[in-house]
Amino acid sequence: MQRLISFLHQPQAYRRGYLSRCYLVLSLLFTVPVSGAEAAESQAITPVYYPGKLRQDYYTDLLQLALSYPCATQYALLPSDLDLPKKRAFDLMNAGQGIDVMFGSASNERINTYRAIPFPILRGLMGLRIALVSSAEPNILKNAHSVAALSRLRVGQFISWSDTAILRANDFNVEAASTLESLYQMLDKGRIDYFPRSVLEIQQNQAEHAELNLQIDPYILLYYPTATYYYVAKDNNSLADALLCGLEHAQQSGQLNQLFERYYGDVLQQLNVAGRRVIKLQNPLLPAGVPLLRPELWHPLPDNSASKQ
C-alpha cells in the first residue's frame, strides 16, 4: 500500500512512462520462447531506456549498434516515454527512475555527477563551426587567415553558451546577446560581423531565418575540440562497460563510421567542410581524459589549418 501511495504521488509523466515500460518489458518477455536454453537466455535480457518517445536518429541507432555486440549482459533498447528537460532527465537517470542512458556534451560538471562513457560519439562535429554572415558582406571572412584577423571583427554569441567563454579565451571580440533570436537580427542589421554555428545546425538556422539577409560563409571552418558522450547513472558500471565495449567494437568494425556517414556525410559535403580553411582554437573547458590522441575517433580536418597566433 505504501508503494502504491508513493507511486500515485509521482508526476503524471513518470507514472505514464512507468506503466508503458512495464508493458514493454512484459511484451519482451512473452514474445520469446519460454523453454530450454532460449528461456534462460530471455531472462538475461536487461531493458535500457532512453529519454522520450520511440524514435530513430543517430543517437538511438548508435546505442542499438553498441548494445548489439556480445560484450556482457544482453540488452534491449526501449523508449522511456519520459519527455523532460535535459537536466531533469539526467537526474532521473542518476536516481534510477525510468531513464538509463543520456547523451550530451562532455563537461567537468557532468563527468563529476554522472558516469560518462569516454568515447566521442559525434566525432567532434559540435566543435566544427561555420559562420553565418550578412548578405551585404558575403566576403567578410575571405581574407581571414588567423585568429588575429578574426579578432578584429565582431562575433556574436549567446551570453550563457560555453562557446562564448571559449571564443573569449582565444581573444575574440565577442558581442554577447541575452536572446538567441536577437543574434540573427544583429547580424542582419550589421551590428555583428559573423555568427558561428555548428555544422549540424547552420543550414537549418539559415532556413529558419529566410526573411533575413543571411548566408553561409564559404571560406572558414573554426575548430575547437569538443566531445559528445553517452552518460549513465554514476553507479551503473555494467551498462557503462557494455557501452564502451560496444562502441569500440563498432569503431573497429567500421560500422560506426558507416552509420556516421549515413547521417552526416551529405551535410558535410554540402558545406564543403573538406575544402575550407581551418582555424584551430584552444578549448580551456575541455575535460581531462577526452581521447584527443586517437585520431580514428574524430572526423578528419582539412590540412590547410592555422592555429592560434
Side-chain angles (χ1 to χ4, degrees), residues 134-147:
S134 170
S135 300
E137 294 282 352
N139 296 316
I140 195 166
L141 301 182
K142 182 176 182 179
N143 296 315
H145 292 265
S146 66
V147 172

Side-chain angles (χ1 to χ4, degrees), residues 12 21 40 77-79 81 86 129 144 162 167:
Q12 183 181 4
R21 293 193 303 275
L77 187 65
L78 300 168
D81 286 334
K86 200 159 194 175
R129 300 276 159 163
S162 59
L167 291 174

Side-chain angles (χ1 to χ4, degrees), residues 10-305:
Q10 294 290 339
Q12 183 181 4
Y14 175 81
R15 299 198 307 270
R16 184 172 61 248
Y18 178 83
L19 293 173
S20 176
R21 293 193 303 275
C22 288
Y23 171 78
L24 287 167
V25 171
L26 289 172
S27 299
L28 181 66
L29 291 176
F30 286 103
T31 54
V32 297
V34 291
S35 61
E38 289 181 339
E41 183 178 353
S42 70
Q43 293 173 1
I45 296 175
T46 300
V48 173
Y49 297 102
Y50 61 83
K53 304 290 185 180
L54 179 67
R55 66 181 187 273
Q56 184 176 21
D57 57 17
Y58 175 76
Y59 301 102
T60 53
D61 280 0
L62 182 54
L63 272 175
Q64 188 69 61
L65 176 60
L67 293 174
S68 71
Y69 289 93
C71 290
T73 303
Q74 293 190 35
Y75 292 99
L77 187 65
L78 300 168
S80 68
D81 286 334
L82 296 174
D83 193 5
L84 302 166
K86 200 159 194 175
K87 179 62 167 64
R88 174 65 174 153
F90 263 99
D91 290 340
L92 280 181
M93 177 192 72
N94 224 21
Q97 295 184 6
I99 296 174
D100 297 302
V101 61
M102 294 286 296
F103 68 88
S105 59
S107 68
N108 287 311
E109 179 183 3
R110 283 179 176 161
I111 289 172
N112 290 334
T113 307
Y114 317 106
R115 175 72 182 270
I117 316 305
F119 190 104
I121 58 175
L122 272 180
R123 306 192 70 203
L125 285 197
M126 290 304 290
L128 300 183
R129 300 276 159 163
I130 290 175
L132 285 173
V133 297
S134 170
S135 300
E137 294 282 352
N139 296 316
I140 195 166
L141 301 182
K142 182 176 182 179
N143 296 315
H145 292 265
S146 66
V147 172
L150 288 174
S151 67
R152 289 191 285 270
L153 302 172
R154 300 161 299 171
V155 56
Q157 285 291 289
F158 186 60
I159 191 168
S160 63
W161 283 347
S162 59
D163 308 85
T164 303
I166 293 169
L167 291 174
R168 282 176 171 159
N170 284 271
D171 301 324
F172 277 67
N173 179 15
V174 179
E175 294 283 345
S178 57
T179 65
L180 178 57
E181 284 304 311
S182 65
L183 287 163
Y184 298 101
Q185 298 292 335
M186 290 166 67
L187 183 59
D188 180 57
K189 292 177 171 56
R191 291 166 54 194
I192 56 175
D193 296 309
Y194 64 107
F195 179 23
R197 309 297 289 130
S198 87
V199 294
L200 302 182
E201 302 165 319
I202 190 165
Q203 290 176 315
Q204 181 179 352
N205 294 158
Q206 184 193 31
E208 290 172 343
H209 298 85
E211 76 282 3
L212 302 179
N213 295 312
L214 309 179
Q215 67 183 59
I216 297 174
D217 166 67
Y219 303 110
I220 296 292
L221 181 69
L222 281 175
Y223 167 74
Y224 44 86
T226 64
T228 302
Y229 284 166
Y230 288 125
Y231 293 86
V232 299
K234 194 71 171 177
D235 59 354
N236 197 346
N237 296 327
S238 58
L239 180 56
D241 292 343
L243 283 172
L244 183 58
C245 172
L247 289 168
E248 291 285 1
H249 277 293
Q251 192 281 320
Q252 292 165 15
S253 70
Q255 288 185 285
L256 190 155
N257 285 349
Q258 291 173 13
L259 182 67
F260 180 90
E261 286 298 320
R262 177 157 62 87
Y263 274 95
Y264 302 124
D266 286 347
V267 68
L268 295 175
Q269 185 172 12
Q270 291 164 12
L271 292 170
N272 189 30
V273 167
R276 289 174 174 268
R277 182 167 64 252
V278 182
I279 297 182
K280 295 181 179 180
L281 308 180
Q282 303 297 318
N283 182 359
L285 305 182
L286 191 70
V290 174
L292 295 176
L293 298 181
R294 295 184 60 189
E296 72 275 14
L297 301 185
W298 305 90
H299 185 70
L301 294 175
D303 290 335
N304 53 342
S305 60

